[in-house]
Amino acid sequence: MKRNHGFWSAVGWTHVAGVVFVFAAFVRNVNLDGDLPGSITLAVVMFASIVPMMFVLAGGVAVVGGWHVRARSLKSDGPWHVIHETFKTNDLEWMIRHVRDPLHQLPYGLTLASNLAGVSVWSGRGTPVLQLWIPWSDIRSLCATTTVTGGNRFPSLEVSADMNGQRLRFAFPLLGQFPFRSSSATPDTLERLVADLRSLQSGRIPSGR
């Protein structure tokens, strides 16, 4: 239940906003037209229409908030020299399940974090949850690639590693910073991330990190 707290808080607050909006529209309609039954019907229709939208909005708020809170928690727990937002794709979930557990459920919002010891993937909010750990000794290559998901193309980091006796390739789609991390990362951001990770792999902390 702790891991879902952020989502349900977002659901609650966005629904409160929806109720306030519908009530304000109801009061305005009664004052203008004086038609109480018609205003009640309009309010019911409006509320039924916005409920699905409120759930979608709440989910987005929870994911974006999760990235922010998780990054802050990781920085305070440290030492993480590179932190960047990523998200679940079908292929990435399959690869992580292959390493961990075939029944393991991966949340949508994830955070990529790296230090001089290796590369990690986290979920959770106030208390980050480790989803994947790859030490540098297992990593064979780092490169830029492109992930296609939901009909969209995202600049992605590909990490090739020897795990469980196999060569595995993890592709992490990267997100931009604005607006609300809804856009893909720029090629420059991806290029810098790859360079910073290669510095860490060679035992050097990247400048500015």
Side-chain angles (χ1 to χ4, degrees):
M1 293 298 295
K2 238 172 139 180
R3 291 171 63 183
N4 291 330
H5 176 71
F7 172 76
W8 291 115
S9 294
V11 169
W13 282 112
T14 50
H15 277 76
V16 167
V19 170
V20 170
F21 173 77
V22 171
F23 180 74
F26 167 75
V27 171
R28 179 176 180 275
N29 196 61
V30 170
N31 288 336
L32 289 177
D33 299 337
D35 182 8
L36 181 59
S39 297
I40 292 175
T41 301
L42 177 62
V44 170
V45 170
M46 288 179 62
F47 188 74
S49 299
I50 67 172
V51 164
M53 183 176 64
M54 290 293 101
F55 269 102
V56 172
L57 179 60
V61 169
V63 171
V64 172
W67 278 317
H68 175 73
V69 173
R70 188 161 52 248
R72 189 172 59 192
S73 297
L74 289 170
K75 287 177 182 177
S76 64
D77 292 342
W80 299 105
H81 305 296
V82 173
I83 296 177
H84 200 94
E85 298 82 9
T86 184
F87 61 91
K88 176 182 72 174
T89 65
N90 290 337
D91 289 343
L92 180 58
E93 182 172 40
W94 188 90
M95 295 299 293
I96 292 180
R97 283 184 175 186
H98 184 74
V99 173
R100 292 194 55 177
D101 179 354
L103 300 179
H104 180 67
Q105 295 296 318
L106 195 66
Y108 177 79
L110 302 168
T111 297
L112 191 69
S114 183
N115 57 20
L116 292 171
V119 174
S120 61
V121 179
W122 300 81
S123 64
R125 292 175 65 87
T127 304
V129 178
L130 181 64
Q131 297 289 346
L132 179 68
W133 169 250
I134 313 175
W136 287 121
S137 59
D138 290 345
I139 294 177
R140 297 295 166 259
S141 67
L142 300 161
C143 66
T145 187
T146 300
T147 299
V148 179
T149 180
N152 298 312
R153 299 170 66 86
F154 291 87
S156 304
L157 169 72
E158 182 179 280
V159 179
S160 179
D162 290 337
M163 304 179 73
N164 294 351
Q166 301 178 58
R167 178 66 54 86
L168 302 178
R169 289 179 172 81
F170 301 87
F172 301 99
L174 304 179
L175 294 170
Q177 296 297 314
F178 183 83
F180 307 115
R181 299 178 177 85
S182 61
S183 61
S184 59
T186 64
D188 288 345
T189 298
L190 175 57
E191 183 179 345
R192 183 191 175 195
L193 178 65
V194 172
D196 287 347
L197 290 177
R198 286 175 177 167
S199 293
L200 289 172
Q201 187 177 26
S202 63
R204 294 180 289 108
I205 297 176
S207 59
R209 295 290 187 177

